[in-house]
Amino acid sequence: MGLLEGRVALVTGGAQGIGLAIAQRFAAEGASVVIADIDLDAATAAAEAIDGPAAGVRADVVDPDDVAAMVAATTDRFGRLDVLVNNAGITRDASLKNMTLEQFRQVIDVHLQGTWLGMKEALAVMKAQVADGRADGGAIVNMSSISGKIGNFGQSNYAAAKAGIVGMTKSVAREGAKHAIRVNAIQPGFIDTAMTRAMPADAQEAATSSIPMQRAGQPDEVAKVALFLASDLASYCTGITIEVTGGRHM
Ligand SMILES: NC(=O)c1ccc[n+]([C@@H]2O[C@H](COP(=O)([O-])OP(=O)(O)OC[C@H]3O[C@@H](n4cnc5c(N)ncnc54)[C@H](O)[C@@H]3O)[C@@H](O)[C@H]2O)c1
């Protein structure tokens, strides 16, 4: 019996990288999975490649209508929503001097507005499921970053957004707690995905050499922690943030 047997999970930004690894790991543990991504073709292809019930939908997490529609698509298709992973993310790195207001706003919007909208829609559905006895709880996992803890040169937008996700997680954890809806966050360090492969080679090397475990993390190593937080293994955990960094910035 899988850890998420009979559960329905929605993963934003699930078409590639960490989100895809989470969708795959959840499916392997018995969940029906909806992959929501701004790239519909990639979301559809990712869902088709999953071994188990899965669907791909297009959603821009910044758009309130898209976010409402992705949650509705999940409940229409699979009848319920038990787990939401707010994972969609972007970077627009630049020093404060060079960063444009647009770059600042884009990053704040995708991470903070996107996570806020996702939680708002999902919490309402999860609360209703608990109230009418169809569920005994729910779980939300928000993707922060170690950048939100330590700050990174050139990431005044991203670090602010990722730190904000931690505060938002704790606030909504308090609101969800009496309904047995748990809300937690993950702070990955340097994980081998398209996002980090886009960094200059010397920056990648500098990052890797500063990791006590001396290697980048793999997306599935974040997915396993998301599984823990999404499953009953974490039944008494809410409002926490788990670092997945190979010891970097402990
Ligand atoms: N890779 C790392 O080292 C690392 C470290 C810490 C935190 N994170 C966070 O983990 C999450 C996933 O990162 P990743 O490395 O897998 O990135 P990635 O770039 O490989 O994947 C991000 C996914 O999000 C989607 N996306 C982007 N904007 C979107 C939007 N507005 N609406 C819906 N989908 C959107 C993209 O299409 C893509 O499929 C992000 O929140 C990122 O900030 C990554």
Side-chain angles (χ1 to χ4, degrees):
M1 176 110 164
L3 286 168
L4 296 178
E5 210 67 53
R7 311 264 170 96
V8 175
L10 169 58
V11 183
T12 71
Q16 65 177 46
I18 293 170
L20 177 59
I22 291 171
Q24 290 168 334
R25 176 60 68 174
F26 282 13
E29 291 290 337
S32 300
V33 176
V34 174
I35 292 175
D37 204 283
I38 200 162
D39 182 341
L40 176 60
D41 290 345
T44 307
E48 278 168 4
I50 278 186
D51 186 16
V57 299
R58 188 200 170 275
D60 177 352
V61 296
V62 177
D63 184 328
D65 294 335
D66 279 13
V67 175
M70 86 183 174
V71 171
T74 305
T75 54
D76 287 352
R77 175 75 189 264
F78 294 117
R80 54 193 291 121
L81 174 62
D82 301 293
V83 180
L84 169 68
V85 183
N86 284 306
N87 167 79
I90 59 168
T91 49
R92 296 287 183 270
D93 294 357
S95 66
L96 187 61
K97 182 176 168 225
N98 294 325
M99 188 179 291
T100 63
L101 184 57
E102 191 189 0
Q103 288 172 323
F104 175 76
R105 286 217 185 283
Q106 282 174 337
V107 169
I108 295 293
D109 284 355
V110 171
H111 296 276
L112 279 185
Q113 184 165 315
T115 300
W116 185 84
L117 286 169
M119 289 203 287
K120 191 171 172 64
E121 293 294 333
L123 198 71
V125 170
M126 290 175 184
K127 270 186 186 174
Q129 285 176 180
V130 170
D132 68 16
R134 285 185 300 129
D136 50 16
I140 298 175
V141 179
N142 295 326
M143 204 55 68
S144 175
S145 164
I146 204 69
S147 180
K149 174 184 171 182
I150 54 129
N152 265 335
F153 187 95
Q155 291 198 324
S156 55
N157 50 3
Y158 187 79
K162 292 304 200 183
I165 284 175
V166 172
M168 198 186 281
T169 297
K170 292 178 183 180
S171 291
V172 182
R174 291 181 187 277
E175 296 184 25
K178 65 173 178 287
H179 309 279
I181 298 161
R182 298 177 299 98
V183 188
N184 295 293
I186 299 176
Q187 289 187 321
F190 188 72
I191 310 298
D192 180 23
T193 70
M195 186 178 274
T196 46
R197 271 179 247 137
M199 291 165 57
D202 57 339
Q204 292 189 44
E205 272 162 37
T208 307
S209 64
S210 72
I211 300 168
M213 290 182 73
Q214 291 288 297
R215 64 172 179 86
Q218 291 304 311
D220 188 54
E221 294 181 290
V222 181
K224 287 186 283 188
V225 176
L227 171 64
F228 165 71
L229 292 172
S231 76
D232 293 342
L233 291 178
S235 57
Y236 201 50
C237 297
T238 199
I240 64 167
T241 300
I242 301 182
E243 296 178 12
V244 186
T245 63
R248 192 176 182 214
H249 307 308
M250 65 179 86

